[in-house]
Coordinates of all heavy atoms in Angstrom, one line a residue:
D391 N -19.5 -9.2 -17.3 CA -20.6 -9.2 -16.3 C -21.5 -10.3 -16.6 O -22.1 -10.4 -17.7 CB -21.3 -7.9 -16.3 CG -20.4 -6.7 -15.8 OD1 -19.9 -6.8 -14.7 OD2 -20.1 -5.8 -16.6
L392 N -21.7 -11.2 -15.7 CA -22.7 -12.3 -15.8 C -24.1 -11.8 -15.4 O -24.2 -10.8 -14.6 CB -22.3 -13.5 -15.0 CG -21.4 -14.6 -15.7 CD1 -20.1 -14.0 -16.2 CD2 -21.2 -15.8 -14.8
P393 N -25.2 -12.5 -15.8 CA -26.5 -12.0 -15.4 C -26.7 -11.9 -13.9 O -27.5 -11.1 -13.5 CB -27.4 -13.1 -16.1 CG -26.6 -13.7 -17.2 CD -25.2 -13.6 -16.7
D394 N -26.1 -12.8 -13.1 CA -26.3 -12.7 -11.7 C -25.4 -11.7 -11.0 O -25.4 -11.7 -9.7 CB -26.1 -14.1 -11.1 CG -24.7 -14.7 -11.3 OD1 -23.9 -13.9 -11.9 OD2 -24.4 -15.8 -10.9
G395 N -24.7 -10.9 -11.8 CA -23.8 -9.9 -11.2 C -22.4 -10.3 -11.0 O -21.6 -9.4 -10.6
L396 N -22.0 -11.5 -11.2 CA -20.7 -12.0 -11.0 C -19.8 -11.3 -12.1 O -20.2 -11.3 -13.3 CB -20.6 -13.5 -11.1 CG -19.1 -14.1 -11.0 CD1 -18.7 -13.9 -9.5 CD2 -19.1 -15.5 -11.4
R397 N -18.6 -10.8 -11.7 CA -17.7 -10.2 -12.7 C -16.5 -11.1 -12.9 O -15.9 -11.5 -11.9 CB -17.3 -8.8 -12.2 CG -18.5 -7.9 -11.8 CD -18.0 -6.4 -11.7 NE -17.8 -5.9 -13.1 CZ -17.1 -4.8 -13.4 NH1 -16.5 -4.2 -12.4 NH2 -17.0 -4.4 -14.6
V398 N -16.2 -11.4 -14.1 CA -15.2 -12.4 -14.5 C -14.1 -11.7 -15.3 O -14.4 -10.9 -16.2 CB -15.9 -13.5 -15.4 CG1 -14.8 -14.5 -15.8 CG2 -16.9 -14.2 -14.5
G399 N -12.9 -12.0 -14.9 CA -11.7 -11.5 -15.7 C -11.0 -12.6 -16.4 O -10.4 -13.4 -15.8
P400 N -11.1 -12.6 -17.8 CA -10.5 -13.7 -18.5 C -9.0 -13.4 -18.9 O -8.6 -12.3 -19.2 CB -11.4 -13.8 -19.8 CG -11.8 -12.4 -20.0 CD -12.0 -11.8 -18.6
L401 N -8.3 -14.5 -18.9 CA -6.9 -14.5 -19.4 C -6.8 -15.7 -20.4 O -7.6 -16.7 -20.3 CB -5.9 -14.7 -18.3 CG -5.8 -13.6 -17.2 CD1 -5.0 -14.0 -16.0 CD2 -5.2 -12.3 -17.8
V402 N -5.9 -15.6 -21.3 CA -5.7 -16.7 -22.3 C -4.3 -17.2 -22.3 O -3.4 -16.5 -22.4 CB -6.1 -16.2 -23.7 CG1 -6.0 -17.4 -24.7 CG2 -7.5 -15.6 -23.8
C403 N -4.2 -18.5 -22.1 CA -3.0 -19.3 -22.2 C -1.9 -18.7 -21.2 O -2.2 -18.5 -20.1 CB -2.5 -19.3 -23.6 SG -1.1 -20.4 -24.0
F404 N -0.7 -18.4 -21.7 CA 0.4 -18.1 -20.8 C 0.3 -16.7 -20.2 O 1.1 -16.2 -19.5 CB 1.7 -18.4 -21.4 CG 2.4 -17.2 -22.1 CD1 3.8 -17.1 -21.9 CD2 1.8 -16.3 -22.9 CE1 4.5 -16.0 -22.5 CE2 2.4 -15.3 -23.5 CZ 3.8 -15.1 -23.4
E405 N -0.9 -16.0 -20.5 CA -1.1 -14.7 -19.8 C -1.2 -14.9 -18.3 O -1.0 -14.0 -17.5 CB -2.3 -14.0 -20.4 CG -2.1 -13.5 -21.8 CD -3.4 -12.8 -22.3 OE1 -4.5 -13.1 -21.9 OE2 -3.2 -11.9 -23.1
S406 N -1.6 -16.2 -17.9 CA -1.7 -16.4 -16.5 C -0.3 -16.4 -15.8 O -0.2 -16.4 -14.6 CB -2.4 -17.8 -16.2 OG -1.6 -18.8 -16.7
A407 N 0.8 -16.3 -16.6 CA 2.1 -16.2 -16.0 C 2.5 -14.8 -15.6 O 3.4 -14.6 -14.9 CB 3.1 -16.8 -17.0
F408 N 1.7 -13.8 -16.1 CA 2.0 -12.4 -15.9 C 1.3 -11.9 -14.6 O 0.1 -11.7 -14.7 CB 1.6 -11.6 -17.1 CG 2.5 -11.9 -18.3 CD1 2.2 -12.9 -19.2 CD2 3.6 -11.1 -18.6 CE1 3.0 -13.2 -20.3 CE2 4.4 -11.4 -19.7 CZ 4.1 -12.4 -20.5
P409 N 2.0 -11.6 -13.5 CA 1.3 -11.1 -12.3 C 0.6 -9.8 -12.6 O -0.5 -9.5 -11.9 CB 2.5 -10.9 -11.3 CG 3.6 -11.8 -11.8 CD 3.4 -11.8 -13.3
D410 N 1.1 -8.9 -13.4 CA 0.5 -7.6 -13.6 C -0.9 -7.7 -14.3 O -1.7 -6.8 -14.1 CB 1.4 -6.7 -14.4 CG 1.6 -7.2 -15.8 OD1 2.1 -8.3 -16.0 OD2 1.3 -6.5 -16.8
M411 N -1.1 -8.7 -15.1 CA -2.4 -8.8 -15.8 C -3.5 -9.2 -14.9 O -4.6 -8.6 -14.9 CB -2.3 -9.9 -17.0 CG -1.3 -9.4 -18.0 SD -1.5 -10.4 -19.6 CE -3.0 -9.8 -20.2
S412 N -3.3 -10.2 -14.0 CA -4.3 -10.6 -13.1 C -4.5 -9.5 -12.0 O -5.7 -9.3 -11.6 CB -3.9 -11.9 -12.4 OG -2.6 -11.9 -11.8

Side-chain angles (χ1 to χ4, degrees):
D391 294 299
L392 270 59
D394 59 1
L396 181 69
R397 308 200 73 200
V398 177
L401 298 166
V402 181
C403 192
F404 94 139
E405 289 182 333
S406 65
F408 291 86
D410 64 302
M411 295 194 73
S412 51

